[in-house]
Amino acid sequence: MPSTAATVSTTLAKRPAISQLDASPRTPSPLYGLALAVVVGVFAMILGRWIPIIGGPVFGILLGILIRNTVGVGPVFRPGLQFASKQILQWSIIALGFGLSIQQVAKTGLESLWVTLITIIVAFVSAYVLGKWLGIPSRLKTLIGVGTAICGGSAIAAVTPIIKPEDHETAFAISTIFLFNIVAVLVFPMMGHWLGMSDAGFGMWAGTAINDTSSVVAAGYSYSVAAGDYATIVKLTRATLIIPICLILAVLVAWREKKQGSAGFSLRRIFPWFILWFLVASVLRSSGLIPEAMHASLHLLAQFLIIVALTAIGLSSDLRRMAIAGIRPILLGLGVWVAVAGSSLLVQHLLGTW
């Protein structure tokens, strides 16, 4: 017959530690993870204002990755982080529509349309060819291609709900795009002066070959005020093309699911409805129904929502899984970026718009 001490020891061994019980509530609320993403996102936004060349979204994902891979993020936060990285991500894209004037794009963007379309085609073709050669996973390849072709982190955020990549793939793509944005800000103005480019020519080049809006603005205005104005308009036109890109990707994903015989296949289910609401928001802004006094607040809201969403993605990203991919995604990002920058210069040279 076992002793009383042995019985007590066996019973205690079977019971979980008190700290483990306290660490994970029985019914985790999404509010925990959402609150964490918001708090870290506020710090990221402040840092982005302090160092605008990097920007809040990049700081958000970097801070998230740092926290996730040092102090760690417990299971109690996961429901809220998942909500922020998906639902709030879609809300942020809708909010961006309130800052887009369709009339302005239609009036000034036609000049850059051909260059923009060609560079986008080059981006996707080079991403596919180089990605296949380097053995990059399909979704990561798509994210890097879209981010380079359209508008960096915002484009990656827009297509994420459609192709549903892993969080570490999204983080890797944004980090790769960010790396070449910084290089472009430092290198493009010097190259523009060396090539003797006009203000409009450099603005066209910066607007079509640099990804993130803040980096386009930084490079453009460091060249000249006129170049900065032109680059911003070109970038705005380029950003609108995320709408047809998302629709095309949605159709491709739907076709693939149908071909694979996925249960419950539905184009309506996979359609990116948030893009439709993005268009509605843009029309409301352009129609004048949104008071002028609200424009700045709506723009700030859109920025903050996308920072919170990308922060949540960073908080969910495991560097060990990112490390498995090695240097190949960075080489892919470099190859696509060089192809886009070179094709933009070539088209302008052929059209005589330097």
Side-chain angles (χ1 to χ4, degrees):
M1 183 175 182
S3 65
T4 304
T7 303
V8 172
S9 299
T10 303
T11 303
L12 290 175
K14 292 180 179 180
R15 290 175 61 187
I18 294 176
S19 59
Q20 290 177 332
L21 289 173
D22 293 340
S24 299
R26 294 179 181 177
T27 55
S29 168
L31 293 177
Y32 293 110
L34 185 57
L36 177 62
V38 168
V39 170
V40 178
V42 168
F43 282 102
M45 194 168 193
I46 294 172
L47 289 172
R49 295 290 182 87
W50 184 37
I51 310 177
I53 193 175
I54 297 178
V58 174
F59 271 123
I61 201 163
L62 290 179
L63 286 176
I65 290 174
L66 180 64
I67 293 171
R68 170 67 173 81
N69 294 275
T70 53
V71 298
V73 177
V76 68
F77 296 103
R78 289 175 187 168
L81 293 178
Q82 186 177 18
F83 176 82
S85 63
K86 291 180 170 59
Q87 192 64 46
I88 290 184
L89 188 62
Q90 296 184 20
W91 293 350
S92 70
I93 301 303
I94 295 171
L96 286 174
F98 289 108
L100 181 65
S101 171
I102 291 180
Q103 291 92 333
Q104 182 185 13
V105 174
K107 181 179 179 181
T108 61
L110 290 176
E111 298 177 9
S112 63
L113 189 58
W114 277 111
V115 179
T116 300
L117 289 175
I118 290 173
T119 55
I120 286 176
I121 292 172
V122 168
F124 280 109
V125 171
S126 59
Y128 176 79
V129 174
L130 286 174
K132 189 173 183 179
W133 180 61
L134 291 169
I136 306 295
S138 176
R139 289 176 297 190
L140 179 56
K141 183 167 56 181
T142 301
L143 289 176
I144 292 177
V146 169
T148 307
I150 309 294
C151 50
S154 298
I156 291 173
V159 303
T160 293
I162 300 172
I163 65 174
K164 298 179 177 63
E166 299 289 340
D167 286 332
H168 71 278
E169 291 179 320
T170 304
F172 208 128
I174 292 178
S175 300
T176 301
I177 296 299
F178 160 71
L179 171 64
F180 296 112
N181 275 337
I182 297 300
V183 174
V185 170
L186 299 175
V187 172
F188 269 46
M190 291 188 295
M191 288 190 64
H193 288 297
W194 178 65
L195 292 170
M197 302 182 74
S198 65
D199 291 335
F202 183 82
M204 177 80 76
W205 189 36
T208 54
I210 302 177
N211 309 312
D212 187 70
T213 302
S214 60
S215 300
V216 170
V217 171
Y221 284 106
S222 68
Y223 195 81
S224 71
V225 174
D229 291 341
Y230 198 89
T232 302
I233 294 172
V234 172
K235 181 67 178 64
L236 183 65
T237 305
R238 181 179 167 199
T240 63
L241 295 178
I242 191 58
I243 300 169
I245 293 297
C246 283
L247 294 176
I248 291 171
L249 284 174
V251 171
L252 289 175
V253 171
W255 175 78
R256 185 179 302 169
E257 284 197 5
K258 185 175 181 179
K259 186 178 180 181
Q260 293 174 350
S262 300
F265 165 79
S266 171
L267 180 59
R268 181 179 180 181
R269 173 179 57 82
I270 204 169
F271 184 82
W273 294 103
F274 65 95
I275 293 295
L276 181 61
W277 289 112
F278 170 88
L279 284 172
V280 171
S282 180
V283 170
L284 289 175
R285 162 66 186 267
S286 304
S287 65
L289 294 176
I290 306 296
E292 187 74 26
M294 293 182 61
H295 290 178
S297 298
L298 289 170
H299 180 67
L300 183 64
L301 174 63
Q303 283 186 320
F304 183 64
L305 288 177
I306 200 167
I307 289 173
V308 170
L310 294 179
T311 298
I313 289 174
L315 289 166
S316 305
S317 301
D318 189 346
L319 280 180
R320 290 171 297 182
R321 298 189 67 183
M322 293 174 64
I324 295 174
I327 197 174
R328 293 176 299 163
I330 296 177
L331 293 176
L332 173 61
L334 173 62
V336 177
W337 178 61
V338 169
V340 169
S343 63
S344 177
L345 284 177
L346 178 61
V347 173
Q348 286 195 73
H349 178 69
L350 294 175
L351 295 177
T353 57
W354 268 11

